[in-house]
Amino acid sequence: MAKQQKTSAELEDMVHQKLLIGGVYVSVREDPLLGWRATVITAPKHAKAIQERAATAAAELRKKFTLKT
């Protein structure tokens, strides 16, 4: 089954919904190795933990969706 193409805005929203945290900005960019990567911007105190959660969410979503360029 082919993966669905999604825009960066759609993927950002999907990752953000999986995080279930307010006050976090998610950015999705093309990645040559993975296809696309999610990066979070938040308070420095929580950045590492939230980035790890975003990476996990992105890995799950990459199984179903590719970044539309």
Side-chain angles (χ1 to χ4, degrees), residues 2-67:
K3 294 180 183 180
Q4 288 184 325
Q5 289 190 337
K6 298 286 184 180
T7 65
S8 60
E10 290 172 317
L11 291 169
E12 288 165 357
D13 187 48
M14 290 174 160
V15 172
H16 191 263
Q17 287 177 13
K18 285 190 170 280
L19 292 176
L20 300 173
I21 299 173
V24 175
Y25 174 77
V26 178
S27 175
V28 169
R29 300 282 184 243
E30 189 172 2
D31 182 279
L33 297 176
L34 299 173
W36 59 272
R37 174 182 306 269
T39 304
V40 296
I41 300 168
T42 189
K45 180 178 180 180
H46 306 289
K48 184 178 181 200
I50 296 172
Q51 181 60 52
E52 290 171 357
R53 289 176 60 186
T56 301
E60 290 175 22
L61 291 169
R62 261 189 235 105
K63 294 175 185 175
K64 299 178 186 176
F65 306 107
T66 61
L67 179 62

